[in-house]
Amino acid sequence: MLQSRRHLLKTALAASASMAAPAPLFATRITAPTAVSITRWRGDPFARGSYSYLAKGAQSAQRADLARAIGPLFFAGEATSSDHPATVHGALLSGLRAARELRASGYARVAVIGAGIAGLAAAADLTRAGRAITVIEARPRIGGRIDTTMLGGAAIDRGASWIHGTAGNPLTALARRQGAELRVTDWDAYPYFDRNGAPYAARRLPRAARQVEISHSFGADPGNLSRRAYTEGAAFAGDDATFTAGYASLLPAFAGDYDIRTNRPVRRIDWSPTGGVTLTLKGGTAAFDAALITVPLGVLKSSDISFAPALSKDKETAIADLGMGHLSKVFLRFETPFWDPSLHGFGYLGDDPTRFLSWINIAQTNDAPILMAFHGGRAADALERHSDADITAAAMDVLRSIWA
């Protein structure tokens, strides 16, 4: 969801000599960052990771098992999308799919658990259909894994970043209606440098680096992936694009006449196969005719929400078998850029390719002098155990190796 899989294929298969740019002569002196933001999605109790993946031993059909309604319980979210898993547009379409299912049911009072894009899209749709909707969100904000914040006055996306494939993507049309400015990412403007700052001119990246690129795309190491993970789902054509004002630019599109309650983590869901749901949440209990559950797969896997009676066996198996990946981001804002500002990103082939291999130039999104580094899978989990100060120091060592 956070990094283009087309970028994965491009960088993992070849790093041609044409991609390697000479070290710039105009680089300014490297200074300490003026602001830092580091994500910690694995430790986030309301996410437990970044996005789902097809783990070894899992089947794509288990996403449909996860999506299938049982009694008054309905399910949505990117992990339930068989066509577009691990993407924002997959989450959006899953919310609209669940809303259609609920419209076809006789349930009038519905709780939507989770105010990510799947939950908000469903809530807006159901409200227009005359249903009484209450959105219940554990966080103090809406958006879920869409997490736009400000760093030194510039918008950064700590969660979802790209529209993956702008041609025919429902997010593209949504952005147009919202007047949200998009900027295309040029993955060809992405050279690699070695630990001495010299351009890497070989036609193929080292195998270890290709493996790391895979972990960035799926949020999981290759050894944890099903072979079918690489071909799962469908992709939209066109470019990848980011939002100059952040992904949260889309959220006003889902405003509606529904009640929304934030800071209300749900702990238990009691339900009857014949209808009726009682939620135990922070602040007490609440009763509804039905519930749409849109929390991330990681939350379902953690058992932070209990169900009485238990979910169906096929659904429990799907939750256990599907994987929840982790992609971390390290944002560093500087006074002025010391890197080539024309690059959309660059790679670092140091002694340990799992550390700070991939960098994105956020200036190409919003003109701010910000760099962002990725870590995926086990490397992301390991990084999260370190302090912000240690992570920043390690990142600066890498940048000095390339650009000093």
Side-chain angles (χ1 to χ4, degrees):
M1 182 154 58
L2 302 180
Q3 187 182 17
S4 167
R5 292 187 181 175
R6 287 173 294 178
H7 178 222
L8 158 70
L9 295 175
K10 184 174 295 183
T11 57
L13 296 177
S16 67
S18 63
M19 291 173 61
L25 300 177
F26 50 80
T28 60
R29 183 173 64 88
I30 297 178
T31 57
T34 59
V36 174
S37 182
I38 299 172
T39 65
R40 298 180 182 276
W41 287 103
R42 184 67 81 193
D44 184 331
F46 308 131
R48 303 292 187 187
S50 301
Y51 42 83
S52 67
Y53 66 90
L54 195 64
K56 185 176 291 185
Q59 304 294 323
S60 293
Q62 290 180 288
R63 295 193 185 276
D65 292 339
L66 186 58
R68 189 175 302 112
I70 52 172
L73 301 183
F74 296 75
F75 295 82
E78 53 84 12
T80 72
S81 174
S82 300
D83 293 331
H84 305 286
T87 64
V88 179
H89 56 265
L92 169 66
L93 293 172
S94 77
L96 296 176
R97 181 262 308 157
R100 289 194 299 272
E101 294 173 358
L102 275 158
R103 289 201 309 269
S105 75
Y107 300 118
R109 296 181 306 112
V110 179
V112 175
I113 304 173
I117 197 167
L120 294 175
D125 183 276
L126 290 168
T127 299
R128 290 192 294 270
R131 306 301 170 90
I133 305 299
T134 301
V135 177
I136 299 173
E137 168 57 42
R139 303 179 188 276
R141 61 169 180 84
I142 66 170
R145 285 168 284 170
I146 293 177
D147 182 11
T148 302
T149 190
M150 305 301 287
L151 187 67
I156 59 169
D157 278 314
R158 291 167 50 84
S161 297
W162 281 277
I163 293 181
H164 294 308
T166 53
N169 193 312
L171 295 172
T172 307
L174 195 62
R176 188 178 301 116
R177 290 197 298 272
Q178 289 300 111
E181 180 185 357
L182 298 176
R183 291 193 185 177
V184 169
T185 299
D186 180 4
W187 294 115
D188 288 326
Y190 193 100
Y192 284 81
F193 299 95
D194 66 22
R195 62 181 179 179
N196 298 313
Y200 184 81
R203 296 193 61 82
R204 188 175 177 85
L205 291 179
R207 182 178 184 277
R210 299 198 305 272
Q211 299 287 92
V212 172
E213 291 281 6
I214 291 171
S215 75
H216 291 177
S217 278
F218 291 93
D221 297 337
N224 294 330
L225 296 172
S226 164
R227 290 184 179 180
R228 294 182 177 86
Y230 297 92
T231 56
E232 184 187 27
F236 287 106
D239 298 310
D240 289 348
T242 54
F243 294 83
T244 59
Y247 233 117
S249 304
L250 292 186
L251 298 183
F254 305 109
D257 188 21
Y258 51 82
D259 183 23
I260 184 163
R261 303 177 188 177
T262 56
N263 287 306
R264 295 290 189 275
V266 174
R267 300 306 184 197
R268 178 183 169 101
I269 300 176
D270 290 272
W271 61 283
S272 167
T274 58
V277 173
T278 299
L279 307 181
T280 301
L281 63 159
K282 180 180 177 181
T285 61
F288 301 90
D289 298 331
L292 170 58
I293 300 160
T294 73
V295 300
L297 173 66
V299 174
L300 294 175
K301 292 176 77 69
S302 72
S303 300
D304 286 345
I305 300 175
S306 62
F307 293 85
L311 297 176
S312 58
K313 185 63 176 177
D314 63 341
K315 199 171 293 292
E316 288 188 333
T317 301
I319 291 169
D321 288 355
L322 293 169
M324 187 64 176
H326 183 198
L327 185 73
S328 73
K329 295 179 174 183
V330 178
F331 295 90
L332 305 173
R333 179 172 181 131
F334 298 89
E335 193 67 38
T336 57
F338 50 79
W339 58 93
D340 182 346
S342 70
L343 298 179
H344 284 235
F346 54 87
Y348 171 67
L349 299 170
D351 294 331
D352 182 358
T354 67
R355 292 175 60 80
F356 297 99
L357 171 72
S358 298
W359 294 81
I360 299 296
N361 180 18
I362 302 298
Q364 289 291 336
T365 294
N366 59 21
D367 303 316
I370 300 173
L371 292 175
M372 175 183 69
F374 284 126
H375 291 80
R378 285 181 296 178
D381 291 342
L383 194 76
E384 195 163 292
R385 294 191 286 270
H386 292 273
S387 69
D388 284 8
D390 287 346
I391 294 170
T392 301
M396 291 304 298
D397 285 345
V398 169
L399 292 175
R400 290 188 188 97
S401 296
I402 302 173
W403 301 104

